[in-house]
Amino acid sequence: MKKLFVISGSSGVGKGTVIKKFLERNKDFKLSVSCTTRGKREGEEHGKNYYFLSRDEFKKAIDNGDFLEWAEFSGNMYGTNKKFVQECLDNDENLLLEIDTQGALQVKNKMDNAVLIFILPPSMEELERRLRGRGTETEEAIQKRLHTVKSEMENAKAFHYNVINDDVERAVEEIEGIIKNEQV
Ligand code: 5GP
């Protein structure tokens, strides 16, 4: 059965950078574009980074059963398009989901072929430093995200693999190794 790879990690852990590098090096992998109710950040594009929906549109999509999983994260809603995932798997395409830990656990429960990878920071101090350094979030949003880290760490125990992002290159190589092993 075609494997569905799911990557999660706390905010500021550098998972965006790790995934970007992974995708650059593994052109046969696609990243699923999620739906969200959060506001667009500078430089983000509808349909590329996310499908930006209103809360009403998002709720309608939930009622329609459009999502493979969805979760409320830091006051916003995020969801994975079920049809898109199914089509990729049917077409034998390599797919990566970058979603939060609640969503990842939903996918694990629904899909036998899901492989969950959690990216960990080298330390909590380093995580906080990175989160502030990004400069895209208000202090309130940062505090909210730091609070969610604890429950994310708890959820991470149910993941198949934990990868420490001490060095981007090394972390990407470890993920490549995991994926190669899972695909045989
Ligand atoms: P951000 O707002 O920084 O883009 O993302 C916040 C969190 O939402 C991240 O942990 C990201 O992995 C997660 N996320 C993005 N898309 C989805 C999705 O479709 N489902 C779930 N459950 N989480 C998502």
Side-chain angles (χ1 to χ4, degrees):
M1 201 195 290
K2 192 80 186 170
K3 295 282 171 73
L4 175 59
F5 294 97
V6 181
I7 298 192
S8 298
S10 307
S11 298
V13 76
K15 65 179 181 300
T17 313
V18 169
I19 289 171
K20 189 164 167 259
K21 188 152 231 159
F22 173 86
L23 292 171
E24 279 167 12
R25 284 166 40 156
N26 298 272
K27 300 273 186 216
D28 56 323
F29 266 83
K30 256 192 195 173
L31 185 66
S32 166
V33 179
S34 298
C35 295
T36 185
T37 61
R38 117 157 133 63
K40 222 186 250 179
R41 289 187 192 133
E42 202 170 310
E44 288 186 332
E45 284 174 47
H46 182 81
K48 191 172 165 231
N49 304 90
Y50 283 105
Y51 294 101
F52 296 95
L53 305 184
S54 68
R55 264 188 119 78
D56 272 356
E57 287 170 327
F58 198 98
K59 282 179 184 158
K60 258 182 213 141
I62 295 173
D63 292 342
N64 283 342
D66 290 348
F67 294 128
L68 168 65
E69 62 71 34
W70 67 270
E72 183 119 21
F73 180 91
S74 221
N76 297 304
M77 295 160 103
Y78 297 83
T80 303
N81 189 282
K82 192 199 287 178
K83 199 166 151 227
F84 175 78
V85 170
Q86 200 50 57
E87 278 173 5
C88 283
L89 295 176
D90 290 347
N91 292 335
D92 207 27
E93 288 174 305
N94 291 318
L95 186 62
L96 205 64
L97 304 186
E98 194 253 282
I99 61 179
D100 87 317
T101 55
Q102 308 165 71
L105 295 185
Q106 291 174 47
V107 175
K108 190 185 180 197
N109 285 335
K110 285 184 189 167
M111 316 276 283
D112 293 337
N113 56 336
V115 178
L116 273 56
I117 302 169
F118 190 79
I119 304 182
L120 286 160
S123 70
M124 284 303 285
E125 290 75 23
E126 178 64 14
L127 179 70
E128 188 164 347
R129 201 185 60 76
R130 287 185 197 176
L131 202 51
R132 288 182 191 285
R134 197 159 63 175
T136 54
E137 243 74 24
T138 62
E139 180 59 27
E140 193 193 347
I142 289 172
Q143 287 302 332
K144 237 180 182 179
R145 284 180 184 237
L146 285 174
H147 273 108
T148 57
V149 168
K150 230 178 148 192
S151 66
E152 286 175 332
M153 296 287 184
E154 207 44 47
N155 285 343
K157 290 178 189 157
F159 277 54
H160 300 105
Y161 300 95
N162 285 354
V163 172
I164 296 174
N165 185 21
D166 45 1
D167 175 82
V168 174
E169 191 77 21
R170 198 209 60 76
V172 170
E173 279 169 18
E174 189 175 342
I175 291 169
E176 286 172 344
I178 290 168
I179 289 178
K180 215 170 253 156
N181 274 333
E182 286 285 348
Q183 279 177 326
V184 289

